[in-house]
Amino acid sequence: MILTVTLNTALDLTYEVPALVPHTSHRVARSAERPGGKGVNVARVLAALGHETVVTGFAGGPTGDRLRELLAPLPRLTDALVRTEAATRRTLAVVDTGAGDTTQLNETGATVAPDEWTAFRARYTELLTGAAAVALCGSLPPGVHVGAYADLVRTARAAGVPVLLDTSGEPLRRGIAARPDLVKPNADELAGLTGSRDPRRATQDARRRGAHAVVTSLGPDGLLAATPDGLWRAAPPGPVHGNPTGAGDSAVAALLAGLVADAPWPDRLAHAVALSAATVASPVAGEYDPAVLADLLPKVRVTQETP
């Protein structure tokens, strides 16, 4: 199985409006409610791809209960979340269908108590014994120390489990020094880590800081990867309009699947770009249309670049 960790889970709400206009009232054309947080989205996509997945992290209060209710019927996905006294946060995505844009509103996560963190650490260590790979995803909620991901990376490495890290800021800086197998920042997160706005230079610099491989998201321009097999760029055939929420999480799911299968890097990157684009075309995060994925995959361009 593949384990995903979401320390800052969320109940995701998506509203569609014909046009988002500031300072006015809006009639919502369609709404959706989904279990969310980066690692939860990754797990949902992995399960849809046919992988047995386990979700751990935190959930609490009425929103946490609702999140778990939505997870329960999903096939190939096991809930191993740790309950908290504080309520799980909500996120709101407002999709402007006319402009093809999305506005995201994210609540701050609730504070995790020391005994809840201890309970999570015990569950995480136990779950690693049956994991083929683990993904550590998203922001840290209040109450969790800034070096938490670095500790979790080291625990996974000690257990012999490959680990992917997808976070930002100081947790990324400390986590990458713990030598994860793969790090997947976006261009802004990478610039914050390295101080460079040149994606080629910054991606290679990030790898030198400790990660075995670094895959940088370039938004609609695809992915740039610094790997032991060289520097690679993967690009979609053209722009895809829709809701970009969760597109990066779908890329992480594809990269995890490729890591477990030990697939060649061009195949991993092509699948990640195609799956990410197919997720943009879907109305809600953590979902994709298999027909769109099948159409996009052979059209992704993967090239090896000179370091």
Side-chain angles (χ1 to χ4, degrees):
M1 64 87 170
I2 298 176
L3 176 64
T4 72
V5 174
T6 312
L7 299 178
N8 212 5
T9 56
L11 183 63
D12 284 350
L13 307 174
T14 303
Y15 290 167
E16 288 188 4
V17 297
L20 182 60
V21 182
H23 315 300
T24 65
S25 296
H26 295 78
R27 180 75 63 182
V28 176
R30 189 171 76 152
S31 64
E33 187 181 48
R34 295 290 186 275
K38 292 180 72 65
V40 173
N41 289 337
V42 170
R44 289 171 55 212
V45 174
L46 282 168
L49 291 170
H51 296 273
E52 295 295 327
T53 62
V54 175
V55 173
T56 191
F58 298 106
T63 46
D65 291 342
R66 180 56 179 157
L67 184 152
R68 302 181 87 162
E69 288 175 8
L70 293 168
L71 286 176
L74 299 179
R76 295 180 295 276
L77 195 153
T78 300
D79 172 1
L81 294 165
V82 174
R83 182 164 183 82
T84 59
E85 287 298 319
T88 296
R89 66 188 179 129
R90 295 164 296 182
T91 67
L92 175 62
V94 182
V95 180
D96 182 331
T97 56
D101 291 331
T102 300
T103 299
Q104 190 80 17
L105 304 173
N106 298 329
E107 293 181 354
T108 301
T111 300
V112 174
D115 61 322
E116 294 166 347
W117 176 250
T118 300
F120 164 77
R121 283 301 310 264
R123 183 163 300 180
Y124 173 73
T125 301
E126 179 184 359
L127 290 168
L128 284 174
T129 60
V134 58
L136 309 174
C137 301
S139 58
L140 298 178
V144 176
H145 66 97
V146 72
Y149 279 139
D151 290 347
L152 298 181
V153 169
R154 284 189 284 265
T155 301
R157 287 179 55 81
V161 178
V163 55
L164 182 153
L165 177 63
D166 183 12
T167 188
S168 61
E170 189 62 21
L172 173 60
R173 187 181 307 277
R174 297 195 186 195
I176 201 170
R179 307 187 66 82
D181 293 84
L182 179 59
V183 174
K184 207 254 0 132
N186 61 37
D188 288 339
E189 292 163 350
L190 193 65
L193 174 69
T194 66
S196 175
R197 283 284 174 183
D198 179 348
R200 286 168 54 94
R201 176 177 298 175
T203 300
Q204 294 173 95
D205 180 19
R207 183 167 182 253
R208 286 191 290 269
R209 291 169 183 254
H212 189 65
V214 177
V215 177
T216 302
S217 172
L218 305 176
D221 294 327
L223 299 172
L224 181 66
T227 79
D229 298 331
L231 188 65
W232 303 86
R233 186 182 293 271
V240 178
H241 299 289
N243 180 6
T245 308
D249 303 331
S250 290
V252 168
L255 292 169
L256 267 175
L259 177 64
V260 169
D262 196 24
W265 275 104
D267 293 348
R268 300 188 203 188
L269 297 171
H271 193 199
V273 168
L275 190 56
S276 178
T279 300
V280 173
S282 174
V284 295
E287 297 181 5
Y288 69 95
D289 185 335
V292 175
L293 174 61
D295 178 65
L296 287 169
L297 185 55
K299 300 175 183 177
V300 175
R301 305 182 305 279
V302 181
T303 56
Q304 188 166 17
E305 301 199 347
T306 302

